[in-house]
Amino acid sequence: QVQLVESGGALVQAGGSLRLACAASGRTFGPYAMGWFRRPPGKERAFAAAITWNSGTTYYADSVKGRFTISRDSVKNMVYLQMNSLKPEDSADYYCAARNGDFVYGPSYGGQYHYWGQGTRVTVSS
């Protein structure tokens, strides 16, 4: 079993930055593909970013491309989401997810992830 714990959510002004962190523990970690998803208030969960564990290939939703950066530290079993130039529409609960092995479907398909964290809230004020 793998446990994922997110942190770093906060209230921030538009144009600001935040870095979310996801700590993975449990079974020997890796190789896992990791993703960040978000659920805005009253809306469906949506893909934000993903990274493969071994090669570090990254993927981004169009809405965050150029502003968000996903990275991982395989020694510390951590995944990060650096969020810059934040907009009010980025306000959401952000979830870290892990998939055992490489992506079978596109990284945005949430159903292929095996483990999920509890989420951390990001609120961007205008």
Side-chain angles (χ1 to χ4, degrees):
Q1 190 71 10
V2 170
Q3 292 80 43
L4 304 174
V5 179
E6 304 94 335
S7 62
L11 171 64
V12 63
Q13 287 189 332
S17 297
L18 279 177
R19 188 175 82 152
L20 305 184
C22 173
S25 62
R27 291 177 52 191
T28 300
F29 202 75
Y32 285 89
M34 303 294 297
W36 284 98
F37 288 75
R38 60 186 186 176
R39 187 192 301 272
K43 296 185 179 180
E44 296 294 315
R45 184 183 67 194
F47 170 74
I51 188 168
T52 58
W53 198 254
N54 288 336
S55 67
T57 303
T58 57
Y59 306 87
Y60 297 96
D62 288 343
S63 58
V64 307
K65 199 171 295 182
R67 300 187 298 122
F68 290 12
T69 302
I70 188 172
S71 61
R72 85 271 190 258
D73 184 328
S74 57
V75 174
K76 296 181 179 179
N77 288 341
M78 298 289 294
V79 178
Y80 304 98
L81 186 67
Q82 177 67 43
M83 306 186 295
N84 298 328
S85 302
L86 283 162
K87 305 175 182 179
E89 51 263 43
D90 294 319
S91 296
D93 290 328
Y94 283 73
Y95 298 89
C96 176
R99 173 184 164 73
N100 189 358
D102 290 333
F103 294 115
V104 174
Y105 306 98
S108 63
Y109 176 56
Q112 68 181 317
Y113 290 83
H114 299 107
Y115 306 101
W116 292 84
Q118 294 299 306
T120 187
R121 180 157 294 179
V122 172
T123 303
V124 184
S125 63
S126 56

